[in-house]
């Protein structure tokens, strides 16, 4: 890829079993799985699921493990395997590595925001005057400490263990972005809740993105993002002086997503204001997906008057990340 000598990839469209993202109950169950990636069975923060998903096992929760964590949920006949990936925890064993992954994946250039961030940057690709070295970024993203690489190994193991099963990926925030990146890597359905924009990270990782079709300008990936518009994080709006993300040391600057996005308009429907406190997965589960609306009231109305319980999944067209930055080969290669 560095020498621009890789051959063009030929794509064949394959139909597979995937979650029905137009069904509110299905989305709520997947969101509960995403929430359970933060806990273990028996804890107060564990969400009960339909009996179909009573079989589960943990990944990355052994002892004092401080990295990639999640749960696997199995249907009764093992026909469906769901890997749920944990997102960022502000305080806990994984917090340090969570922040490292956030700042590497979702910042424009190694979490270089300004001179005050010189001790927060996660790689050395900044080349002054809002210029960033592409080759350096690609190399930084293949470090062993990146959760994406650990996820590749875990998905590979799941495919080997369950060769005839349909494997789905879900997650919230950082976990949702990882689910999307892994789903794009393996061509597996992924549903991400309240996740920062991961399209830029996918390009830097040189993931095999299918070409856009006549209906979709962005790369057509098997990913569905689900978020509400009172959460600034998936919209790339938790930035700048005084923002809670920047104050906590997180450079969450990207906003463009892979696949399609289902956006719940909680600002209009509920009168919510933009607030990072609306980001936790419990807000999505209890106050959006499982909220009791008035009879006959939905989230959208089609042209034919049909009331929809779930907004239409749409492609994010004309979305641009890091518009004030220049990316190119600005640093001399190491000898």
């Amino acid at each position: 890829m560095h020498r621009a000598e890789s051959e063009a990839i030929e794509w064949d469209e394959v139909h597979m079993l995937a979650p029905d993202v137009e069904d509110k109950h299905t989305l709520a169950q997947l969101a509960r799985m995403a929430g359970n990636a933060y806990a273990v069975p028996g804890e107060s923060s564990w969400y009960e699921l339909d009996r179909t998903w009573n079989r589960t096992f943990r990944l990355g929760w052994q002892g004092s493990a401080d990295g990639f964590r999640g749960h696997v949920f199995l249907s009764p006949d093992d026909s469906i395997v769901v890997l749920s990936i944990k997102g960022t925890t502000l305080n806990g064993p994984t917090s340090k590595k969570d922040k490292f992954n956030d700042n590497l994946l979702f910042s424009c250039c190694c979490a270089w925001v300004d001179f005050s961030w010189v001790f927060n940057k996660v790689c050395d690709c900044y080349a002054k005057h809002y210029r960033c070295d592409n080759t350096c970024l690609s190399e930084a993203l293949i470090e062993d400490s990146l959760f994406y690489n650990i996820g590749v190994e875990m998905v590979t193991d799941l495919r080997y263990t369950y060769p005839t099963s349909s494997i789905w990926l879900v997650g919230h925030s950082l976990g949702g972005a990882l689910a999307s990146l892994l789903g794009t890597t393996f061509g597996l359905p992924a549903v991400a809740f309240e996740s920062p924009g991961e399209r830029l990270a996918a390009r830097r990782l040189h993931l095999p993105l299918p070409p856009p079709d006549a209906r979709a300008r962005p790369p057509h990936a098997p990913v569905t993002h689900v978020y509400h518009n009172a959460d600034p994080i998936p919209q790339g709006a938790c930035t700048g002086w005084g923002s809670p993300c920047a104050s906590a040391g997180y450079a969450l600057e990207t906003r463009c997503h892979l696949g399609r996005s289902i956006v719940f308009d909680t600002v209009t429907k509920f009168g919510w204001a933009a607030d990072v406190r609306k980001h936790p997965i419990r807000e999505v589960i209890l106050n959006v997906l499982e909220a009791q609306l008035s009879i006959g009231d939905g989230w959208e109305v089609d042209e034919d008057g049909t009331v929809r319980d779930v907004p239409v999944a749409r492609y994010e067209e004309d979305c641009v990340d890091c518009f004030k930055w220049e990316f190119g080969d600005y640093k001399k290669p190491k000898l």
Side-chain angles (χ1 to χ4, degrees):
M1 294 295 290
H2 290 172
R3 298 175 182 271
E5 294 177 350
S6 58
E7 296 183 5
I9 300 175
E10 294 184 5
W11 292 90
D12 293 321
E13 193 171 275
V14 177
H15 294 271
M16 64 179 66
L17 184 66
D20 181 3
V21 295
E22 295 185 351
D23 181 69
K24 197 173 181 180
H25 181 72
T26 299
L27 286 183
Q29 287 291 294
L30 295 177
R32 283 174 171 253
M33 292 180 192
N36 285 345
Y38 292 91
V40 294
E43 292 184 348
S44 60
S45 54
W46 181 267
Y47 295 94
E48 293 300 322
L49 298 166
D50 291 347
R51 289 190 297 175
T52 302
W53 307 107
N54 278 345
R55 297 172 58 223
T56 179
F57 62 86
R58 311 173 197 175
L59 292 175
W61 286 83
Q62 297 79 7
S64 58
D66 62 351
F68 186 108
R69 285 185 177 183
H71 286 279
V72 174
F73 298 88
L74 303 166
S75 63
D77 58 357
D78 289 350
S79 62
I80 301 176
V81 177
V82 183
L83 170 60
S84 173
I85 304 171
K86 187 185 81 66
T88 299
T89 304
L90 297 181
N91 296 294
T94 69
S95 297
K96 184 177 181 180
K97 288 185 178 179
D98 291 344
K99 178 182 281 191
F100 173 83
N101 279 264
D102 280 323
N103 283 344
L104 188 57
L105 289 171
F106 312 125
S107 68
C108 292
C109 187
C110 303
W112 180 276
V113 176
D114 54 43
F115 286 106
S116 67
W117 283 67
V118 68
F119 297 111
N120 290 338
K121 63 180 184 178
V122 292
C123 52
D124 193 30
C125 303
Y126 180 60
K128 297 181 180 180
H129 308 299
Y130 285 98
R131 296 189 303 175
C132 197
D133 190 87
N134 268 331
T135 302
C136 175
L137 285 171
S138 295
E139 292 175 347
L141 286 171
I142 62 173
E143 295 292 332
D144 290 340
S145 54
L146 190 67
F147 287 168
Y148 166 80
N149 300 310
I150 301 170
V152 168
E153 296 178 4
M154 289 190 174
V155 174
T156 299
D157 289 344
L158 286 176
R159 295 179 75 192
Y160 178 80
T161 306
Y162 303 98
T164 61
S165 302
S166 296
I167 299 177
W168 300 348
L169 308 171
V170 300
H172 165 258
S173 195
L174 169 63
L178 291 169
S180 172
L181 294 172
L182 293 168
T184 302
T185 300
F186 290 94
L188 300 174
V191 180
F193 297 91
E194 307 296 312
S195 298
E198 84 292 18
R199 192 188 301 177
L200 188 61
R203 295 189 186 282
R204 290 173 175 173
L205 284 164
H206 302 294
L207 298 192
L209 297 174
D213 58 27
R215 299 163 295 175
R217 293 178 185 174
H220 185 76
V223 178
T224 303
H225 282 272
V226 181
Y227 60 93
H228 63 82
N229 62 355
D231 183 358
I233 289 178
Q235 300 174 97
C238 193
T239 57
W241 290 103
S243 72
C245 296
S247 298
Y250 292 87
L252 306 180
E253 301 171 295
T254 57
R255 64 187 186 92
C256 301
H257 299 90
L258 293 171
R260 297 179 297 170
S261 295
I262 295 173
V263 183
F264 289 84
D265 186 1
T266 55
V267 172
T268 300
K269 179 70 68 175
F270 299 146
W272 289 1
D275 191 334
V276 72
R277 289 174 294 182
K278 295 295 185 182
H279 179 69
I281 187 63
R282 66 175 178 272
E283 292 288 339
V284 181
I285 297 171
L286 302 178
N287 297 326
V288 179
L289 292 174
E290 296 182 0
Q292 296 297 317
L293 302 180
S294 301
I295 297 176
D297 192 14
W299 286 95
E300 281 186 2
V301 179
D302 290 338
E303 294 181 356
D304 61 0
T306 302
V307 177
R308 298 183 63 90
D309 289 333
V310 175
V312 175
R314 297 179 173 89
Y315 292 98
E316 297 178 0
E317 298 185 7
D318 303 321
C319 185
V320 178
D321 279 318
C322 304
F323 63 90
K324 68 179 181 180
W325 285 83
E326 294 181 21
F327 299 95
D329 295 322
Y330 300 115
K331 288 180 172 279
K332 294 181 180 180
K334 296 179 181 180
L335 300 177

